[in-house]
Amino acid sequence: MEEVNNKFVSIKDHVNGSPNESDFEIKTETISLSVRSKEVIVKNLYVSVDPYQLNRMKSHSSSQAAISFATAITPGCAIDTYGVGRVVASGRPDLAKDELVVGLLTWGEYTLVEEGRLLNKLDPMRLPLPLHVGALGFSGLSAYGGFFEICKPKKGESVFVSAASGSVGSLVGQYAKLFGCRVIGCAGTQQKVDLLKEKLGFDDAFNYKDETNLKSALKRYFPEGIDIYFDNVGGEMLEAAVANMNLFGRVAVCGAISEYTGNQKRAALEMLDVVYKRITIQGFLAADYIERYADFISTTTDLLRSSKMQALCDISHGVESVPCAFIGLFRGDNIGKKIVQIADE
Amino acid sequence: MEEVNNKFVSIKDHVNGSPNESDFEIKTETISLSVRSKEVIVKNLYVSVDPYQLNRMKSHSSSQAAISFATAITPGCAIDTYGVGRVVASGRPDLAKDELVVGLLTWGEYTLVEEGRLLNKLDPMRLPLPLHVGALGFSGLSAYGGFFEICKPKKGESVFVSAASGSVGSLVGQYAKLFGCRVIGCAGTQQKVDLLKEKLGFDDAFNYKDETNLKSALKRYFPEGIDIYFDNVGGEMLEAAVANMNLFGRVAVCGAISEYTGNQKRAALEMLDVVYKRITIQGFLAADYIERYADFISTTTDLLRSSKMQALCDISHGVESVPCAFIGLFRGDNIGKKIVQIADE
């Protein structure tokens, strides 16, 4: 076999607003297996599907912010994403054929990984491969770095997590509980709420869609105020959280999914609260905590192996299911980390 | 003389929205000079007039935030404020009659300072008394603590200051210049803009009222982005600053005067900017930096004495002028620290 046929997902044009099936197409290409030095061809097994990709799909005029700081996705081209795969052909001395790897792959069946692009040998450490895409990947690092470095928790503090059953939120809540905080999460279905309370050990949880007034809902769930808000959604929930924060409260802004599609209004914060309560609101990216990566992996591997931490994976199958999986993120279809299994292990 | 007549300013009712002369009245009371132990009666000389007082005048329903964290002002009662005065009668062994004092006085001719209320002996250190109300008072501490502790400046960084000719902004800009930053300020008149550039040493300054689009104005003044924004105004200027911030930029939220009267819209921040640029937005109060008070006083006294720093004072005269001076703050009438001289030294 000298070449492989590769089916991959691409966008037909820039996507502004909520994504639809018609924004995507499955393309086919041929990849030669005679790799150049330092190049690797990977057969993708599990790939990550994350909301932030939408920001990379926007046209420049639509979101200056996202496009200036994230690499734009080019219509017609393969879309990079974090994932786990197996080496098919290698021009790197450290990676042999058939070895498991983790790094920046694509929403496709195969990835031609050029020199310099993130790709490391994967030791699965007796843990299922999807965990290496989610809880032990960038979602996990976002949760770990964001919670410990940005939120600067103290034992006994009250933590609120939005999108709490999502890829990052579900881990933040568990890190916070294990650390000794009181944790309440919100999600968008009763099933998710039950899961948070029954499986993930949250002290409480609620369905934000059942609440007519988020500010009073939070007042009810946090009668003594919120010390830490781990924000995955932005918009009205962020406003409501700020209104309910305690003195010297901290908001870690991990994402703002409610604002990505441009349908929801932006958070209009009460700056008087920010001043009088000395609130800190801080944005971050997982990549900022790469120097804590070894800590993160060793801590999280132990927690997962001993079942002290649950990693929720929501897995679809086949490259054709990627657009639907992605679109579903913005409807809240996923429970935990959304992953597409591209091929059998 | 066993008692003094005291004229003082009070509000007739809670003030929501922009303040008007009719919201205030001058009342008269008699204060007995036979003080109890630990009490002091002070003849007020210079008193501070600050925008934040408006937040204390609101009814509870109008601003939960302000009222929960600042002591509410009661209609009909004296209004406390920072100021300099002279002891008329003292029940404190550390304070003798005729000594100069600084602390929490009132918008009135005399203040009965109860036990426990902030009042210290004042050594004017050969500096004019109004400076002890402003640059060496809470305005100065806000500027010093906010700039050095919240903004965490590095030499060569670009600093933007709003309300830059105001009591705090004018000092922040000078601390920043002296520290080695590039500083640009905005203000609301050409006269103020000239003052910033010609007297206070700002690298540049502009009149925000001349700008139709604040975001592009800041892009013009900071083609390489803003590292630090010292925010005194909130609202649209905060939005525009966040849009123009550099990676790891810091916003110190000292005040939000554009939002105090409830006329202007709140800042609706682009959270994508906050995330991707890892921006930190942090509220603070001068009182948080009381442990740096000695540093602050010694540094600032030296700078003022050597004329390396200019303290702008905008002084009105007589207790009756307090309401007008206060109302003027929200029209931008003041240049520098607004002070009312209540009596001759």
Side-chain angles (χ1 to χ4, degrees):
Chain A
M1 181 173 71
E2 299 248 283
E3 56 183 37
V4 287
N5 281 319
N6 178 35
K7 277 196 284 187
F8 65 95
V9 175
S10 71
I11 49 172
K12 293 180 194 162
D13 196 355
H14 290 292
V15 182
N16 299 308
S18 296
N20 294 299
E21 288 270 2
S22 61
D23 292 320
F24 299 90
E25 58 185 337
I26 307 290
K27 299 184 77 169
T28 307
E29 64 180 357
T30 302
I31 301 179
S32 159
L33 294 182
S34 45
V35 289
R36 285 182 288 191
S37 167
K38 308 285 177 60
E39 277 183 0
V40 181
I41 291 165
V42 177
K43 184 179 185 194
N44 304 332
L45 299 176
Y46 296 96
V47 298
S48 183
V49 179
D50 303 285
Y52 79 88
Q53 300 272 33
L54 184 60
N55 300 321
R56 303 177 59 202
M57 296 176 187
K58 291 174 184 169
S59 58
H60 193 282
S61 57
S62 159
S63 178
Q64 184 84 39
I67 297 302
S68 314
F69 297 96
T71 324
I73 290 172
T74 309
C77 294
I79 295 169
D80 54 70
T81 189
Y82 199 71
V84 165
R86 204 176 279 284
V87 175
V88 175
S90 176
R92 270 170 56 172
D94 60 324
L95 292 177
K97 188 164 183 305
D98 292 331
E99 272 189 316
L100 284 171
V101 285
V102 63
L104 215 51
L105 305 180
T106 48
W107 279 350
E109 294 178 311
Y110 292 88
T111 308
L112 169 60
V113 179
E114 310 85 354
E115 181 177 358
R117 179 162 159 170
L118 178 70
L119 189 74
N120 292 310
K121 194 179 296 199
L122 174 66
D123 171 4
M125 298 177 288
R126 292 176 286 119
L127 286 167
L129 293 183
L131 300 198
H132 295 278
V133 179
L136 294 165
F138 276 98
S139 303
L141 189 57
S142 292
Y144 188 85
F147 182 65
F148 290 106
E149 299 293 320
I150 303 284
C151 298
K152 297 181 180 67
K154 292 191 268 293
K155 283 187 210 309
E157 285 192 320
S158 289
V159 176
F160 174 50
V161 185
S162 56
S165 72
S167 58
V168 178
S170 60
L171 301 170
V172 168
Q174 293 180 83
Y175 283 128
K177 272 309 291 175
L178 291 162
F179 181 78
C181 292
R182 182 168 167 271
V183 184
I184 298 177
C186 72
T189 67
Q190 189 57 44
Q191 186 196 1
K192 292 176 178 178
V193 167
D194 292 343
L195 185 76
L196 294 174
K197 293 196 280 190
E198 289 157 22
K199 190 167 173 194
L200 303 188
F202 281 57
D203 292 290
D204 208 341
F206 65 95
N207 182 347
Y208 71 90
K209 291 180 181 163
D210 290 345
E211 302 293 341
T212 48
N213 183 322
L214 295 177
K215 208 185 276 193
S216 30
L218 287 177
K219 181 87 192 150
R220 216 164 63 238
Y221 283 97
F222 293 92
E224 290 170 18
I226 299 168
D227 297 304
I228 289 171
Y229 172 41
F230 195 98
D231 185 20
N232 292 301
V233 304
E236 274 188 275
M237 192 62 86
L238 175 55
E239 286 178 29
V242 164
N244 279 283
M245 295 214 73
N246 287 332
L247 291 187
F248 300 101
R250 288 133 276 154
V251 177
V253 188
C254 179
I257 192 170
S258 81
E259 305 182 26
Y260 291 175
T261 55
N263 298 332
Q264 289 289 119
K265 72 185 187 95
R266 288 189 191 172
L269 303 179
E270 171 60 271
M271 297 313 289
L272 282 183
D273 272 315
V274 174
V275 175
Y276 283 100
K277 300 198 277 183
R278 288 86 124 195
I279 294 170
T280 302
I281 299 166
Q282 193 169 359
F284 72 96
L285 296 177
D288 299 340
Y289 302 103
I290 210 75
E291 79 278 9
R292 292 208 56 182
Y293 187 75
D295 270 2
F296 152 67
I297 289 291
S298 101
T299 304
T300 310
T301 303
D302 289 350
L303 292 172
L304 290 169
R305 275 211 196 121
S306 61
S307 297
K308 284 184 186 144
M309 180 172 248
Q310 310 299 321
L312 304 176
C313 294
D314 185 329
I315 302 183
S316 302
H317 297 272
V319 68
E320 290 83 357
S321 72
V322 169
C324 177
F326 178 67
I327 292 160
L329 294 173
F330 301 93
R331 290 189 305 247
D333 288 352
N334 59 306
I335 296 186
K337 179 68 185 178
K338 188 68 209 178
I339 291 172
V340 174
Q341 178 170 18
I342 302 288
D344 291 341
E345 296 183 16
Chain B
M1 179 173 73
E2 300 249 285
E3 56 182 38
V4 288
N5 282 319
N6 178 36
K7 278 196 283 187
F8 65 95
V9 175
S10 71
I11 49 172
K12 293 180 193 163
D13 197 354
H14 291 291
V15 183
N16 299 308
S18 296
N20 293 299
E21 287 271 2
S22 61
D23 292 319
F24 298 90
E25 59 186 335
I26 307 290
K27 299 185 77 170
T28 306
E29 64 179 357
T30 302
I31 300 179
S32 159
L33 294 182
S34 45
V35 290
R36 285 181 291 191
S37 166
K38 310 284 177 63
E39 278 184 359
V40 181
I41 292 166
V42 177
K43 183 178 186 195
N44 305 330
L45 298 177
Y46 296 96
V47 297
S48 183
V49 179
D50 303 286
Y52 79 87
Q53 300 273 35
L54 185 60
N55 299 322
R56 304 177 58 204
M57 296 176 188
K58 290 174 182 169
S59 57
H60 194 281
S61 58
S62 158
S63 179
Q64 185 85 38
I67 297 301
S68 313
F69 298 95
T71 325
I73 290 172
T74 310
C77 295
I79 295 169
D80 54 70
T81 189
Y82 198 71
V84 165
R86 205 177 279 285
V87 174
V88 175
S90 175
R92 270 171 55 172
D94 60 324
L95 292 177
K97 188 166 183 304
D98 292 331
E99 273 189 314
L100 284 171
V101 285
V102 62
L104 215 50
L105 305 179
T106 49
W107 280 350
E109 294 177 312
Y110 292 89
T111 308
L112 169 61
V113 179
E114 311 85 355
E115 180 178 356
R117 181 161 157 171
L118 178 70
L119 189 74
N120 292 310
K121 196 179 296 197
L122 174 67
D123 171 3
M125 297 176 289
R126 292 175 283 122
L127 287 167
L129 292 184
L131 298 197
H132 295 279
V133 179
L136 294 165
F138 277 97
S139 303
L141 188 57
S142 292
Y144 188 85
F147 182 66
F148 291 107
E149 299 293 320
I150 302 284
C151 298
K152 297 182 180 67
K154 292 190 269 292
K155 283 188 211 305
E157 284 191 321
S158 289
V159 176
F160 174 51
V161 185
S162 56
S165 73
S167 58
V168 179
S170 59
L171 301 171
V172 169
Q174 294 180 84
Y175 283 127
K177 272 308 292 176
L178 291 163
F179 182 78
C181 292
R182 182 167 166 270
V183 184
I184 298 177
C186 72
T189 67
Q190 189 57 44
Q191 186 196 359
K192 291 176 178 179
V193 166
D194 293 342
L195 186 75
L196 294 174
K197 293 195 281 191
E198 289 157 21
K199 191 166 172 195
L200 303 189
F202 281 58
D203 293 290
D204 208 342
F206 66 95
N207 182 348
Y208 71 89
K209 291 178 181 164
D210 290 346
E211 302 293 342
T212 48
N213 182 323
L214 295 177
K215 206 185 276 191
S216 30
L218 287 178
K219 182 86 193 153
R220 217 164 62 236
Y221 282 98
F222 293 92
E224 290 169 18
I226 300 168
D227 297 304
I228 290 171
Y229 173 41
F230 195 98
D231 184 21
N232 292 302
V233 303
E236 273 188 274
M237 191 63 88
L238 175 55
E239 285 177 30
V242 164
N244 280 283
M245 296 215 71
N246 287 332
L247 291 187
F248 300 100
R250 290 133 275 154
V251 178
V253 188
C254 179
I257 192 170
S258 81
E259 304 183 27
Y260 291 175
T261 55
N263 298 333
Q264 289 289 118
K265 72 184 187 96
R266 289 188 190 172
L269 303 179
E270 172 60 271
M271 296 313 289
L272 281 183
D273 272 314
V274 174
V275 174
Y276 283 100
K277 301 198 277 184
R278 289 85 125 195
I279 294 171
T280 303
I281 299 165
Q282 192 169 1
F284 71 98
L285 296 177
D288 299 340
Y289 302 104
I290 210 76
E291 79 278 9
R292 294 208 54 183
Y293 187 75
D295 270 2
F296 152 66
I297 289 290
S298 101
T299 305
T300 310
T301 304
D302 288 349
L303 293 172
L304 291 169
R305 276 215 195 114
S306 60
S307 297
K308 285 183 185 145
M309 180 173 249
Q310 310 298 320
L312 305 176
C313 294
D314 185 329
I315 303 184
S316 303
H317 297 272
V319 68
E320 291 83 357
S321 72
V322 169
C324 177
F326 178 67
I327 292 159
L329 294 174
F330 301 94
R331 290 189 304 248
D333 289 352
N334 60 305
I335 296 186
K337 179 69 186 176
K338 187 69 210 176
I339 292 171
V340 173
Q341 178 168 19
I342 302 288
D344 291 342
E345 296 183 16

